[in-house]
Amino acid sequence: MLVLAGLGISDEKGITLEELEESKSSDHVFIELYTSIWLGNVENLEKIIGKKVRILKRKDLEEESSKILDLATNKKVMIFIPGDPLAATTHSSLIFECIRRGIKFKIIHNSSIFTAICETGLHIYKFGKSVTIPLKDKTRGQIHSVANTIKENRKRGLHTLCLLDIDVENNKFLMVDEAVTFLIENNIIEEEEKIIVASCLGTKKSRIFFSEARDILLRKFELPAVIIIPGDLHFSERDILERL
């Protein structure tokens, strides 16, 4: 059996009672930390569940996922995942393989950045397709994709959630000012345009800033962070944003 368990968007304290119960009866417990930034500590998580937690690398779940699935055929395997377990397509692929191979599976959902962004006051149903702003060495070929998605969302009056690209295994993280520079230099937004930055949502360091892009370039934000390009603002959305 394969159990995919979300850790939420803060730290190890985001574990649910259901996850705690499932972990205690698991034969193997893993955690992947490459799809998003997690503010927790693996050793603290091990103390909570009373078991060793092995860290999975990207290749373990993408190139060599069959090894994990082979284990899950006869054993109970649990994988902790920052945020919600099905926010990344990698994990959805694991579930597809479980179905194909007849392996039992369970999904335990948790908080995700895709809902936490409503802390900004924006309405969840007014968000269009999200984009990922690429790291500097991966911009080629992605500029048009990002620009076209934001353009289409704007046409429909929808907000755009911009995720910041990361490469944890190579210690590369796109910073907010780099992402805003990318948007301005590629004529996706104007310097005078008001955008939103949400940093460390779900934690004590949570910070939301609504200002012109050129002002945001002068500020420093901790990761994890996201940028939101607003569409047509409802009066209630605007009222909250202007009070932040």
Side-chain angles (χ1 to χ4, degrees):
M1 180 180 186
L2 180 66
V3 181
L4 297 185
L7 283 169
I9 57 174
S10 56
D11 54 27
E12 62 278 350
K13 294 178 183 178
I15 186 174
T16 67
L17 291 176
E18 183 180 8
E19 289 171 338
L20 178 60
E21 185 178 279
E22 290 288 349
S23 66
K24 291 185 179 298
S25 62
S26 294
D27 299 295
H28 302 277
V29 181
F30 300 95
I31 185 171
E32 72 85 349
L33 299 173
Y34 69 86
T35 54
S36 60
I37 297 174
W38 184 54
L39 300 177
N41 181 283
V42 175
E43 290 184 1
N44 290 341
L45 179 61
E46 290 176 330
K47 291 176 182 177
I48 291 173
I49 68 174
K51 285 191 174 180
K52 179 68 178 176
V53 178
R54 291 170 54 193
I55 299 175
L56 294 172
K57 295 182 178 180
R58 181 182 293 273
K59 68 175 184 178
D60 295 322
L61 288 183
E62 295 185 3
E63 300 168 28
E64 302 176 6
S65 61
S66 59
K67 293 181 181 179
I68 295 292
L69 294 170
D70 288 342
L71 272 180
T73 302
N74 300 306
K75 301 288 184 178
K76 186 173 182 180
V77 177
M78 186 172 195
I79 302 177
F80 281 113
I81 299 160
D84 186 88
L86 294 186
T89 54
T90 294
H91 310 129
S92 298
S93 297
L94 284 175
I95 295 304
F96 172 77
E97 284 301 310
C98 282
I99 294 172
R100 191 179 68 83
R101 295 174 57 165
I103 299 171
K104 292 183 179 180
F105 66 89
K106 181 176 183 177
I107 302 163
I108 306 177
H109 295 283
N110 209 320
S111 60
S112 166
I113 189 61
F114 290 99
T115 51
I117 50 177
C118 292
E119 237 184 90
T120 60
L122 299 180
H123 302 163
I124 190 66
Y125 60 85
K126 289 191 63 182
F127 277 84
K129 182 180 177 182
S130 61
V131 298
T132 297
I133 300 178
L135 286 160
K136 289 182 178 180
D137 57 352
K138 298 195 298 185
T139 55
R140 183 173 296 179
Q142 295 193 43
I143 296 174
H144 293 302
S145 176
V146 172
N148 289 338
T149 297
I150 294 172
K151 181 180 179 181
E152 287 303 311
N153 284 343
R154 277 176 163 162
K155 281 183 181 179
R156 300 167 61 194
L158 301 176
H159 313 313
T160 304
L161 170 63
C162 301
L163 305 173
L164 307 189
D165 199 8
I166 62 172
D167 183 352
V168 177
E169 294 179 351
N170 290 304
N171 199 35
K172 294 181 180 180
F173 303 88
L174 186 70
M175 304 304 291
V176 170
D177 60 330
E178 294 174 322
V180 174
T181 298
F182 169 88
L183 293 170
I184 293 172
E185 288 184 348
N186 289 289
N187 301 312
I188 298 173
I189 63 172
E190 301 292 334
E191 289 187 356
E192 301 79 14
E193 186 174 337
K194 277 195 168 186
I195 60 176
I196 304 162
V197 174
S199 172
C200 299
L201 292 181
T203 75
K204 292 180 180 179
K205 298 189 291 183
S206 176
R207 185 182 179 196
I208 299 170
F209 194 74
F210 178 51
S211 185
E212 293 182 357
R214 60 187 175 188
D215 293 333
I216 288 174
L217 285 173
L218 303 176
R219 298 173 180 269
K220 295 295 183 182
F221 295 90
E222 289 189 54
L223 298 179
V226 295
I227 295 170
I228 301 171
I229 301 175
D232 296 336
L233 291 170
H234 185 269
F235 71 88
S236 62
E237 294 177 306
R238 185 177 294 280
D239 185 52
I240 292 176
L241 282 173
E242 292 179 349
R243 292 170 187 268
L244 292 174

